[in-house]
């Protein structure tokens, strides 16, 4: 049975602006949205109530009540541990931010475990290993993860190119992109301005694209060859944890080391020798 997220992703090219507003309202705080009437949901998304029915039918449901029922089922199946932790955190004295943070991080990682499969991580690892060069794209908060990933992949003996700066700066770095290359993009909350031309150029050259993202990634166009999407904790303007995308990246790196051990270990051994020479 397809999840609601799967349905949204498979119909992303058909979603109107009103649909996208409703999807954002549904996914940004699913625990609350799962119990909203169609009228309340439409009010939050600033669209006409009839748009909720149209979206539900577009996603393959008979109507909004059926869509809401699936969302409720998915929450029950996936959030038991997370909700227990949140209830515990809610009982602590006001101002205990560390405990609150620990609770929200655990809840976010529980969602990650259900949102991204090991099969997808395996595919991501193999795409990176098979790539001639890896173009790393991340702006804003994603830059720290991009730099971390670049350093790890460099140590694995892979060729990385970090895409930084404005659009023209990025264009200069990708002018030599060819078939066999890979774009690995990290983007959260909304689609970066340079994302669409980057992925379009990538596909035009016969290269592949991978996207590590949050729930906003389901609406980013054009679609990457592989999308690893998971919610980053609390919704709206509240704190969005960097732990989730870091965990995805670390899982990919560990999987590369496990599935391609001889190549990785050989590169690390050569690097150890170079460290001795350069020191």
């Amino acid at each position: 049975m397809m999840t609601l997220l799967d349905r949204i992703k498979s119909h992303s090219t058909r979603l109107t602006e009103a649909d996208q507003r409703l999807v954002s309202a549904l996914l940004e705080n699913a625990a609350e949205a799962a119990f909203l009437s169609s009228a309340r949901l439409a009010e939050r998304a600033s669209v006409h109530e009839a748009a909720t029915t149209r979206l539900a039918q577009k996603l393959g449901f008979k109507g909004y009540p059926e869509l809401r029922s699936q969302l409720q089922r998915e929450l029950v199946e996936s959030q038991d541990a997370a909700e227990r932790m949140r209830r515990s955190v809610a009982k602590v004295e006001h101002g205990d931010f560390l405990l609150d943070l620990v609770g929200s991080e655990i809840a976010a990682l529980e969602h990650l475990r259900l949102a991204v499969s090991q099969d997808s991580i395996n595919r991501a690892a193999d795409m990176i290993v098979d790539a001639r060069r890896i173009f790393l794209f991340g702006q804003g908060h994603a830059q720290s993860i991009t730099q971390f990933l670049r350093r790890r992949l460099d140590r694995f003996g892979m060729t990385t190119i970090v895409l930084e700066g404005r659009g023209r700066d990025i264009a200069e770095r990708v002018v030599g992109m060819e078939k066999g290359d890979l774009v690995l993009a990290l983007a959260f909350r909304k689609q970066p301005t340079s994302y669409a031309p980057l992925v379009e150029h990538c596909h035009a050259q016969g290269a592949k694209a991978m996207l590590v993202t949050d729930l906003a990634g389901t609406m980013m166009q054009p679609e990457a060859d592989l999308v690893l999407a998971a919610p980053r904790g609390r919704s709206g303007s509240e704190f969005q944890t960097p732990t989730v995308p870091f965990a995805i990246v670390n899982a990919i790196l560990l999987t590369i080391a496990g599935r391609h051990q001889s190549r990785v270990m050989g590169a690390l051994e050569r690097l150890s020798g170079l460290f001795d020479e350069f020191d």
Side-chain angles (χ1 to χ4, degrees):
M1 182 178 179
M2 291 180 69
T3 65
L4 179 57
L5 196 59
D6 289 334
R7 291 175 185 250
I8 292 169
K9 181 179 176 181
S10 64
H11 291 83
S12 61
T13 57
R14 297 176 53 210
L15 297 183
T16 64
E17 182 180 349
D19 293 333
Q20 292 178 12
R21 289 183 181 182
L22 286 167
V23 167
S24 295
L26 280 169
L27 299 182
E28 283 183 349
N29 193 343
E32 183 178 355
F35 299 95
L36 293 177
S37 66
S38 59
R40 289 294 304 281
L41 179 65
E43 181 181 352
R44 289 201 171 185
S46 299
V47 299
H48 193 278
E49 184 178 353
T52 62
T53 300
R54 289 195 294 268
L55 173 63
Q57 292 174 343
K58 191 175 293 184
L59 297 179
F61 298 101
K62 293 179 180 178
Y64 174 72
E66 187 176 1
L67 182 156
R68 186 177 59 182
S69 294
Q70 175 159 338
L71 182 57
Q72 290 172 351
R73 286 195 301 272
E74 291 178 8
L75 284 170
V76 169
E77 292 170 1
S78 68
Q79 291 188 345
D80 285 348
E83 288 306 311
R84 285 198 300 271
M85 177 57 69
R86 290 190 182 198
R87 285 196 296 270
S88 297
V89 169
K91 295 177 182 178
V92 303
E93 284 188 288
H94 176 70
D96 198 339
F97 298 110
L98 176 60
L99 185 58
D100 181 71
L101 175 63
V102 170
S104 64
E105 296 287 275
I106 291 174
L109 289 171
E110 284 288 343
H111 282 86
L112 169 60
R113 183 177 60 83
L114 296 160
V116 177
S117 68
Q118 182 61 47
D119 286 342
S120 296
I121 296 293
N122 291 346
R123 186 181 170 197
D126 293 346
M127 286 173 68
I128 291 172
V129 170
D130 292 341
R132 191 170 71 93
R133 294 175 299 180
I134 302 108
F135 292 82
L136 298 172
F137 172 76
Q139 298 180 333
H141 295 304
Q143 284 183 311
S144 60
I145 308 175
T146 302
Q147 293 296 337
F148 169 80
L149 182 56
R150 175 198 61 78
R151 186 159 192 170
R152 293 297 183 184
L153 293 179
D154 285 350
R155 289 187 170 204
F156 286 177
M158 299 174 186
T159 303
T160 60
I161 300 172
V162 177
L163 304 177
E164 297 177 312
R166 302 170 64 181
R168 287 177 176 267
D169 300 314
I170 294 172
E172 289 176 354
R173 305 304 301 276
V174 303
V175 68
M177 186 182 293
E178 299 176 356
K179 183 177 181 180
D181 291 334
L182 171 70
V183 169
L184 199 170
L186 296 101
F188 313 119
R189 286 187 179 269
K190 62 181 181 179
Q191 180 167 318
T193 303
S194 297
Y195 174 82
L198 174 61
V199 176
E200 287 170 358
H201 178 71
C202 170
H203 288 158
Q205 304 310 308
K208 293 184 178 179
M210 181 192 312
L211 174 63
V212 176
T213 183
D214 51 18
L215 295 178
T218 60
M219 293 180 282
M220 292 186 190
Q221 294 296 323
E223 187 174 353
D225 298 283
L226 176 63
V227 178
L228 302 175
R232 293 187 299 128
R234 294 170 176 170
S235 63
S237 61
E238 293 184 80
F239 178 76
Q240 297 277 291
T241 178
T243 300
V244 169
F246 260 117
I248 294 174
V249 165
N250 272 323
I252 293 171
L253 292 169
L254 287 170
T255 301
I256 290 174
R259 288 172 67 86
H260 305 276
Q261 187 169 354
S262 59
R263 173 174 174 173
V264 170
M265 295 308 166
L268 291 175
E269 288 171 2
R270 291 193 298 274
L271 178 61
S272 180
L274 286 171
F275 281 158
D276 293 336
E277 294 178 17
F278 278 78
D279 285 344

